Amino acid sequence: MDDGIVRDGIKPGDVVVVTGAGGGFGRAFCNRFGRAGAKVAAWEINPQAGAETVAQVKAAGGEAQFFQVDLSDASQIAKAVEQTLAAFGAPYVIINNASIYPRATVIDMKVEDWERTLKVNITAPFLIVRAFGPHMLKQKRGLVINIASGRGVEGAPRGANYAASKAAILSLTKTLALEWAPHNVRVNAIIPGVSMTAQPLENTTPEELLARGKKEIPLGRVGYPDDMAGLAAFMASSDAAYMTGQAVAMNGGRVLVP
Ligand SMILES: NC(=O)c1ccc[n+]([C@@H]2O[C@H](COP(=O)([O-])OP(=O)(O)OC[C@H]3O[C@@H](n4cnc5c(N)ncnc54)[C@H](O)[C@@H]3O)[C@@H](O)[C@H]2O)c1
């Protein structure tokens, strides 16, 4: 670059915190950043899934540690923050990726399902960025990537809880980007399209999902975890140093109606 601007991006040895690290996208984020030389803090409720992710990162020569945490519990989040800081130091990237999606109509939804969904999907990201924030702001470099959903824009029949949480994380992305821009900590969101992971398969079969991708997605297929990991890697790179407060759809060309 010959414009004299210093563009910061992720460097080997930087710390990446990934929530829901045992799932489809979460594991791909861990593997992608692990291969690039990051220290990966794999946060996950399911110990087998978290351990498998860490094993994959290590098998490829990367560095990773599993932190067991139930994101619906504020005290467990506080503990995982302390453990991560003690093990690795302040993160360069936080990926708020974990979510749950208990399905029911508004009339039938249990209040407990509404409340747990909001706790895991939006209160946890809020608590996590608050806890790590002072450490990141002090470094004057860093990035938060919030994983949203088209449902947060379009709504979701039998998923008012999930849709509300995803609209909220888009909003949190905007506010946090404005609050942290003066400190050179960027905040962006990814809006994945329907993808081949466990979450949509709670509600359909792999065959139906593939057929839906062929029929409904302009590029003719569903998304895959590596599609999202590629975008996250770009967001963390110096090429995205001027990008903050943005929500980027990675969805094969579906038009999201606001
Ligand atoms: N897959 C899709 O089609 C799709 C589409 C749009 C958005 N998304 C979003 O992408 C993100 C990742 O989704 P995915 O498809 O990989 O889901 P997934 O279900 O495969 O993985 C989610 C992971 O989060 C973990 N988790 C759940 N509750 C937790 C808790 N209380 N504490 C800690 N960890 C917990 C799960 O154990 C799992 O490993 C989510 O935010 C999801 O809403 C997915």
Side-chain angles (χ1 to χ4, degrees):
M1 304 269 183
D2 53 8
D3 54 18
I5 301 291
V6 177
R7 291 179 176 80
D8 185 43
I10 191 165
K11 295 180 178 58
D14 280 341
V15 178
V16 178
V17 176
V18 179
T19 71
F25 295 168
R27 182 167 289 163
F29 293 136
C30 291
N31 280 323
R32 176 84 191 213
F33 284 107
R35 280 202 305 276
K39 293 177 186 154
V40 177
W43 287 30
E44 171 56 54
I45 193 171
N46 175 332
Q48 286 80 30
E52 172 57 26
T53 295
V54 166
Q56 287 188 15
V57 174
K58 288 185 171 167
E63 189 175 346
Q65 195 171 316
F66 168 52
F67 299 87
Q68 185 169 12
V69 56
D70 178 351
L71 295 169
S72 69
D73 180 341
S75 66
Q76 291 193 34
I77 292 174
K79 193 170 143 215
V81 167
E82 286 312 314
Q83 290 173 334
T84 301
L85 288 171
F88 286 153
Y92 180 71
V93 184
I94 299 171
I95 308 186
N96 283 313
N97 165 73
S99 86
I100 56 170
Y101 193 165
R103 291 165 174 85
T105 63
V106 169
I107 287 174
D108 291 339
M109 186 170 299
K110 295 191 196 115
V111 174
E112 302 88 82
D113 280 346
W114 171 267
E115 287 179 341
R116 186 173 168 82
T117 305
L118 292 182
K119 271 188 185 164
V120 174
N121 296 11
I122 183 62
T123 303
F126 163 76
L127 293 172
I128 291 167
V129 297
R130 263 159 60 106
F132 281 126
H135 302 273
M136 297 172 83
L137 300 189
K138 210 156 90 189
Q139 297 188 138
K140 291 230 160 271
R141 59 189 295 264
L143 169 70
V144 176
I145 302 176
N146 291 322
I147 308 303
S149 165
R151 297 303 190 180
V153 181
E154 295 187 317
R158 298 181 62 244
N161 49 348
Y162 181 80
S165 74
K166 293 301 184 178
I169 207 160
L170 287 168
S171 175
L172 177 65
T173 301
K174 298 277 176 202
T175 299
L176 202 61
L178 294 172
E179 288 188 357
W180 287 5
H183 307 276
N184 193 38
V185 178
R186 298 177 297 111
V187 185
N188 292 303
I190 295 176
I191 306 181
V194 62
S195 300
M196 192 50 87
T197 69
Q199 193 164 88
L201 294 176
E202 288 165 6
N203 200 35
T204 184
T205 63
E207 295 72 28
E208 276 170 6
L209 201 62
L210 289 171
R212 211 176 125 195
K214 252 190 196 147
K215 198 167 143 232
E216 292 175 17
I217 308 295
L219 282 177
R221 67 164 174 89
V222 294
Y224 286 84
D226 282 340
D227 293 316
M228 309 309 147
L231 179 53
F234 165 71
M235 285 178 166
S237 76
S238 58
D239 283 337
Y242 195 50
M243 178 196 273
T244 195
Q246 303 306 303
V248 181
M250 188 62 140
N251 67 4
R254 254 177 71 83
V255 176
L256 295 174
V257 182

